[in-house]
Amino acid sequence: MMTTGNREDYLINILRLTEGENTTKTTELATFMGVSPASVTEMLKALSNEGLVKYERYHGVSLTAEGLTYARLIRKKHHVLENFLINVLNVDRETAHREACRMEHVLSEESAIKICQMMGTPVDSDCQSCSTPCKAASSEGINITASLSDLNPGEHGIISHLKNSDPKIVKKLIMMGFVPGRVLTLDSNMPDSNMTIVDVENSVVALPADLAASVFIDTNE
């Protein structure tokens, strides 16, 4: 019986072997996944019938446009989950990868997007398949997105996303209450102490200026 998780495992592994541009042999896929060639052939026939792969015996398999989009969504969920497990929960990389492989099949796209925005997960090629591209992944958008450090006292908006190359800073901001989707108002700047005073969901927080630059706000929300 073909389960959703099993089916998605094949799609994401075909993507890993081909990057959506080439064809991979069934024997190569079988070795990569640690399954028998017969099992691979059976699954590829089923995925071909669903329009997710192009499969021809003795010629290998490639992803269709629909299959590529689907596989990229799964892989992005995997990256988001790994990022969260490693950088927030301090799980080791090997365990994080193994657990993300299981969790990616049950995590909704909506929840994955929220975690991605909260964690500041690096933008990659899989973002193009996201149903709701975040401001970090798109240079265009209806709403104006500004760094908290660019706001003036009294200005407000909704936290769009966090962005910093240091996961420890992102983790610190999350723990301080700077979670995407929350309403934020800049109360005042304190140049002498290099601090920014903000109201987040009715909680007043003093934030160092260097951290304020990592919080991005949708000012037109």
Side-chain angles (χ1 to χ4, degrees):
M1 180 179 179
M2 182 174 66
T3 65
T4 298
N6 193 25
R7 171 169 159 269
E8 292 180 346
D9 281 339
Y10 273 83
L11 292 175
I12 193 173
N13 282 308
I14 293 171
L15 176 60
R16 286 169 176 153
L17 289 169
T18 67
E19 282 305 318
E21 298 178 355
N22 304 305
T23 297
T24 186
K25 296 179 180 179
T26 55
T27 52
E28 183 180 16
L29 182 59
T31 300
F32 189 72
M33 296 184 66
V35 297
S36 69
S39 296
V40 170
T41 299
E42 182 181 358
M43 177 61 77
L44 294 183
K45 288 179 179 178
L47 292 174
S48 178
N49 289 336
E50 290 186 53
L52 298 174
V53 303
K54 295 178 182 177
Y55 170 64
E56 186 177 352
R57 194 176 182 184
Y58 304 125
H59 289 81
V61 60
S62 60
L63 295 167
T64 63
E66 182 181 354
L68 178 59
T69 297
Y70 193 169
R72 279 178 165 162
L73 287 175
I74 303 164
R75 186 165 67 176
K76 189 63 182 183
K77 288 182 186 180
H78 183 97
H79 291 166
V80 168
L81 286 166
E82 273 193 337
N83 194 20
F84 178 75
L85 290 168
I86 294 169
N87 295 322
V88 175
L89 301 186
N90 297 320
V91 175
D92 66 88
R93 289 187 178 277
E94 184 177 345
T95 302
H97 176 76
R98 186 170 60 251
E99 294 189 352
C101 284
R102 294 197 294 265
M103 297 165 65
E104 66 196 23
H105 304 300
V106 296
L107 182 70
S108 70
E109 187 179 357
E110 181 181 4
S111 294
I113 290 169
K114 289 182 177 180
I115 296 173
C116 185
Q117 292 172 336
M118 180 179 71
M119 291 299 303
T121 303
V123 173
D124 57 33
S125 61
D126 295 333
C127 292
Q128 63 187 280
S129 297
C130 182
S131 63
T132 310
C134 63
K135 304 303 183 299
S138 175
S139 59
E140 300 179 357
I142 297 174
N143 301 312
I144 299 173
T145 304
S147 166
L148 174 56
S149 60
D150 295 328
L151 299 188
N152 296 312
E155 290 188 314
H156 65 277
I158 294 177
I159 300 174
S160 165
H161 61 280
L162 306 178
K163 186 176 181 181
N164 194 289
S165 59
D166 186 348
K168 291 181 180 178
I169 290 179
V170 174
K171 182 177 180 179
K172 183 175 183 178
L173 287 168
I174 294 169
M175 294 177 68
M176 293 175 73
F178 293 90
V179 177
R182 291 184 175 177
V183 177
L184 178 151
T185 301
L186 176 61
D187 290 341
S188 62
N189 288 314
M190 302 174 65
D192 293 340
S193 61
N194 204 33
M195 299 293 286
T196 298
I197 309 301
V198 297
D199 184 300
V200 183
E201 297 284 313
N202 298 316
S203 295
V204 178
V205 181
L207 190 67
D210 59 334
L211 295 187
S214 299
V215 181
F216 290 81
I217 312 298
D218 278 341
T219 56
N220 280 359
E221 288 284 356

